[in-house]
């Protein structure tokens, strides 16, 4: 299944250049439909550029701090955990 998500230029560019390998979203009703091997079409809000990404994993956390503690800052596109917060 294909999903479309709009991102600000900052995040979109990091996904395109490979420095951001994870996208964090609220696990609301819409995002609960995403499954492994689905495709997400990220669209830059400013330019309408698009990039397709394969969903290779899903993690669900009750608190953002738990996610930030578990994963390295680099997967979020940052150099340290304080920047992620």
């Amino acid at each position: 299944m294909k999903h479309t998500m709009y991102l600000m230029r900052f995040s979109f560019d990091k996904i395109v250049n490979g420095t951001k390998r994870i996208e964090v979203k609220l696990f609301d009703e819409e995002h609960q439909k995403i499954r492994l091997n689905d495709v997400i079409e990220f669209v830059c809000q400013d330019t309408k550029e698009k990039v397709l990404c394969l969903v290779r994993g899903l993690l669900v956390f009750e608190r953002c701090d738990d996610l930030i503690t578990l994963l390295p800052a680099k997967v979020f596109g940052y150099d340290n955990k304080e920047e992620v917060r």
Side-chain angles (χ1 to χ4, degrees):
M1 179 176 223
K2 181 177 163 188
H3 309 272
T4 302
M5 293 185 192
Y6 293 84
L7 296 175
M8 295 187 325
R9 180 96 210 167
F10 178 78
S11 292
F12 182 85
D13 287 346
K14 285 184 175 227
I15 287 174
V16 169
N17 70 27
T19 57
K20 183 176 189 210
R21 297 185 350 229
I22 186 172
E23 178 62 20
V24 178
K25 295 290 186 185
L26 184 64
F27 198 54
D28 59 14
E29 187 175 320
E30 185 66 25
H31 295 110
Q32 289 177 25
K33 297 175 186 174
I34 298 170
R35 300 285 182 252
L36 289 177
N37 297 313
D38 281 358
V39 172
I40 298 177
E41 177 183 59
F42 289 108
V43 180
C44 180
Q45 291 176 333
D46 296 340
T47 65
K48 306 304 180 220
E49 291 174 79
K50 298 175 182 180
V51 65
L52 297 176
C53 297
L54 179 68
V55 176
R56 294 176 35 181
L58 295 168
L59 298 171
V60 179
F61 291 86
E62 287 188 30
R63 300 175 331 123
C64 281
D65 257 5
D66 296 338
L67 172 67
I68 294 167
T69 300
L70 178 70
L71 299 173
K74 294 282 185 197
V75 300
F76 297 98
Y78 292 96
D79 293 324
N80 64 64
K81 293 188 185 247
E82 286 309 309
E83 288 180 311
V84 176
R85 282 185 179 83

